[in-house]
Amino acid sequence: MIRSAVREDVPTIVRFVYELAAYEQAPHEARATAEDFERDLFGPAPAAQVLIAQDDATGEPVGFALWFTTYSTWLGKPGIYLEDLFVTPAARGGGHGKALLTELARIAVERGYGRVEWSVLDWNEPAIGFYRKLGAGPQDEWTVYRLTGEALAKLGGA
């Protein structure tokens, strides 16, 4: 079962984010707090949305997808950017990841969006294989750049 997250899911979202960071071999980079998610997901101007995957038998959360809208000037349409997709190791292979992506695709189609896109680490072969089986393809001609930390502060005048 896939459902939209509610404020009471914040502790679960925090746990999933930190489990994902550990899986991606970067636990030291995860700094988000429950307060951050309270403010940015459920405050007056939500910056992102979250879907929760629940185990059909127990109702326990087993995964999540955190996403936000983007805009393609070339398509002239909004799109969805999937920031995080995570399913707990014990629940992998149970269809939860596919169900989360299927729901995102349904939302995109229903709203007339032009795409759903995300990034995947080059070494994450299980995820790459999973995404390819769903029909997703890499955008090899693009390289993601990031401005963060001291460089962001310096450029932004802080």
Side-chain angles (χ1 to χ4, degrees):
M1 181 178 124
I2 305 300
R3 63 173 176 80
S4 293
V6 295
R7 188 178 300 271
E8 291 74 26
D9 290 313
V10 166
T12 299
I13 294 166
V14 171
R15 178 172 54 91
F16 286 160
V17 166
Y18 280 80
E19 287 181 30
L20 174 61
Y23 174 77
E24 292 185 347
Q25 303 171 15
H28 58 284
E29 293 183 32
R31 295 184 190 99
T33 66
E35 292 77 21
D36 294 328
F37 291 124
E38 287 268 346
R39 177 191 65 237
D40 296 332
L41 301 177
F42 302 103
Q49 298 181 49
V50 175
L51 297 173
I52 299 288
Q54 291 180 268
D55 181 270
D56 290 334
T58 66
E60 290 298 311
V62 294
F64 84 121
L66 187 145
W67 64 278
F68 51 88
T69 57
T70 60
Y71 191 82
S72 170
T73 56
W74 289 11
L75 294 177
K77 293 182 177 190
I80 287 176
Y81 187 84
L82 174 60
E83 178 67 22
D84 288 332
L85 176 69
F86 178 76
V87 174
T88 59
R92 291 184 188 149
H96 304 291
K98 182 177 181 182
L100 286 163
L101 281 170
T102 298
E103 180 61 10
L104 284 176
R106 187 198 66 73
I107 291 167
V109 169
E110 178 183 88
R111 296 181 184 181
Y113 292 0
R115 60 173 64 140
V116 176
E117 56 192 349
W118 61 92
S119 297
V120 61
L121 291 165
D122 292 337
W123 59 260
N124 195 345
E125 290 297 328
I128 291 168
F130 169 70
Y131 297 141
R132 285 185 187 272
K133 281 180 20 181
L134 295 177
Q139 298 294 298
D140 295 333
E141 67 273 12
W142 295 90
T143 300
V144 175
Y145 280 79
R146 179 175 291 161
L147 191 59
T148 188
E150 188 177 312
L152 174 63
K154 182 178 177 182
L155 186 62

